Amino acid sequence: MIEINWDPIPYLGFLPVNWYGITMALGFLVGGYLTWRAAPRYDVPREKVESLLMWIIVGTIVGARAYFLVQNDFWSYLQEPWRMLMVWEGGLAFFGGLFGATAAAFLYTLKENLSFARVSDLFAPAIPIGAAIGRTTCGLAGMDYGTPTALPWGVVYTNPNSYAPADGISRHPVQFYELFGDLIIAGILFKLRGKLPDGALFTTYLVLFGTLRFFLFFARGDVPEVALGMKNGQLTALAILAVAVPVLAWLFLRRGGAANREQTV
């Protein structure tokens, strides 16, 4: 059993320090740098990457907040609509951020006449790295906490300001499971970079991350089951897999078909 006594928002004098916000920003910076550095490999001008990052940041925040609001007593937010903008109080969902960032990137590529497939592949390895950085303080602060466990690496949150219940119960460190899963996915994507047809690297990320999240949500203790014994995140993961797996297969079949045509010419 591991005790975590971490104050999510301590004060430096009279100034609050939002650790999750800091690591979220750090994740964007690191992911953005990795993407900017790799841009020439994908024939994407670096100045376009810099502009696109701003679109993605906005899309991520809007999407993450919207997904959270829809899942968490949306009608109460309609009665007090100003609360929808209070993101500093928490309430950002990763799947929503992923959808929002993808939509923003797609719109930007249309505007700038860039290949969305190549741009999405460019960003693919950076996404899980940025997410892993954010998961660090997510786990320390007790956000997205796990179900009870008797395993020796279970965590007990003892700080009264923790987002997890400070009830002395040992829980799965599901945030750190996801952190390590993200790093493994990033390693796989870096290994596959340049070896797949356009669009397949990002689609591979969706398949791997969707699979990871589907199984991780069995150990999530902060969200209820909503249908068929599954939680919202699992249903979302299945929806992603239902689209991403056929698309990935189609991308490989298309490349194989193109290679066969070249051989017969």
Side-chain angles (χ1 to χ4, degrees):
M1 184 177 69
I2 303 169
E3 289 191 5
I4 297 180
N5 182 15
W6 179 274
D7 190 343
I9 307 182
Y11 279 80
L12 184 61
F14 62 91
L15 293 175
V17 179
N18 189 319
W19 287 115
Y20 180 66
I22 291 172
T23 51
M24 184 177 175
L26 181 61
F28 272 115
L29 288 173
V30 173
Y33 172 73
L34 292 173
T35 303
W36 178 86
R37 185 176 178 180
R41 178 192 291 262
Y42 291 89
D43 299 319
V44 178
R46 281 176 168 167
E47 61 271 17
K48 299 290 186 183
V49 172
E50 294 167 3
S51 299
L52 175 54
L53 283 170
M54 299 307 299
W55 283 57
I56 287 176
I57 289 172
V58 174
T60 298
I61 295 173
V62 172
R65 186 61 171 171
Y67 186 91
F68 174 84
L69 293 176
V70 169
Q71 293 185 90
N72 293 272
D73 198 9
F74 182 60
W75 295 112
S76 71
Y77 283 98
L78 286 180
Q79 295 170 1
E80 300 175 308
W82 61 88
R83 292 176 55 219
M84 295 184 184
L85 302 177
M86 299 169 67
V87 295
W88 55 88
E89 293 186 350
L92 298 173
F94 187 87
F95 271 138
L98 179 61
F99 297 150
T102 303
F106 180 72
L107 292 174
Y108 183 85
T109 56
L110 286 180
K111 173 179 173 291
E112 297 295 330
N113 197 28
L114 297 171
S115 167
F116 174 72
R118 291 186 66 79
V119 168
S120 63
D121 284 351
L122 166 63
F123 275 83
I127 300 172
I129 290 178
I133 293 172
R135 282 293 163 196
T136 306
T137 48
C138 179
L140 293 173
M143 297 176 177
D144 305 335
Y145 57 86
T147 54
T149 181
L151 292 170
W153 56 80
V155 295
V156 175
Y157 292 94
T158 59
N159 193 289
N161 295 325
S162 172
Y163 289 97
D167 51 12
I169 295 176
S170 178
R171 303 176 185 277
H172 279 287
V174 68
Q175 313 94 322
F176 296 105
Y177 296 164
E178 184 167 328
L179 186 158
F180 290 121
D182 280 330
L183 293 178
I184 292 171
I185 290 172
I188 293 171
L189 296 179
F190 276 120
K191 191 73 173 178
L192 293 175
R193 191 168 61 177
K195 301 176 182 178
L196 305 180
D198 289 351
L201 195 67
F202 178 67
T203 311
T204 298
Y205 164 73
L206 294 178
V207 171
L208 293 174
F209 185 68
T211 302
L212 173 67
R213 273 235 152 172
F214 176 79
F215 288 105
L216 282 182
F217 263 78
F218 283 113
R220 278 280 293 269
D222 62 320
V223 287
E225 296 177 355
V226 293
L228 303 175
M230 291 186 288
K231 301 162 185 174
N232 270 327
Q234 292 173 301
L235 297 175
T236 304
L238 288 178
I240 290 174
L241 290 170
V243 174
V245 171
V247 168
L248 188 61
W250 174 76
L251 289 171
F252 278 103
L253 288 172
R254 186 180 66 169
R255 184 172 74 169
N260 290 334
R261 286 194 296 272
E262 289 177 1
Q263 291 177 358
T264 57
V265 172

